[in-house]
Amino acid sequence: YNHGEDWLEQLLDYIDGNVHYCQDFIAQKLPMLQTFSHEATYLLWADCRGLGMTHEELCALMIQRAKVAFNDGRIFGREGDHFMRINLACPRSVVEKAMHQLEAAIG
């Protein structure tokens, strides 16, 4: 607790880089999705209504075609319909792979 400040700052910068990477990727290559700026967390919400799918089709796309395990927004209530929550507290290579898999699945 007394000597972790440098590590924490590096971690926050790294996660912030993942957030920006993901937001930029979606804006450039998957503009039918929208993201929301995160507030003090490593979780990014993606609004997937622009895909024009039912929520069940969206979940199937994520798991079966894209092979990504984002959190289904419905677990947070009915308002989470057509939303996915993306955990960005992981290596950048994992974020990049997930984004490319999602892009290929939506293709």
Side-chain angles (χ1 to χ4, degrees):
Y1 294 114
N2 295 325
H3 306 287
E5 180 113 12
D6 288 339
W7 173 84
L8 178 59
E9 290 302 318
Q10 290 174 23
L11 174 66
L12 293 174
D13 286 343
Y14 191 86
I15 291 172
D16 193 52
N18 281 351
V19 170
H20 289 292
Y21 172 85
C22 192
Q23 288 180 318
D24 291 345
F25 188 96
I26 289 172
Q28 292 173 16
K29 299 188 179 195
L30 301 169
M32 68 290 291
L33 305 181
Q34 291 193 5
T35 61
F36 300 92
S37 295
H38 70 297
E39 296 180 16
T41 183
Y42 52 86
L43 303 166
L44 183 69
W45 283 93
D47 179 348
C48 303
R49 292 177 288 186
L51 293 172
M53 300 178 166
T54 66
H55 191 80
E56 291 72 22
E57 290 170 333
L58 175 62
C59 291
L61 169 80
M62 296 295 173
I63 300 218
Q64 295 168 1
R65 289 183 56 200
K67 300 195 184 318
V68 294
F70 300 154
N71 294 115
D72 178 348
R74 270 195 187 166
I75 66 172
F76 302 98
R78 188 138 182 89
E79 297 83 7
D81 250 7
H82 298 90
F83 284 81
M84 291 287 156
R85 191 176 73 163
I86 305 168
N87 184 332
L88 297 172
C90 57
R92 175 75 48 85
S93 60
V94 172
V95 175
E96 291 172 353
K97 182 177 181 190
M99 290 297 102
H100 288 288
Q101 287 173 203
L102 182 57
E103 179 185 27
I106 291 174

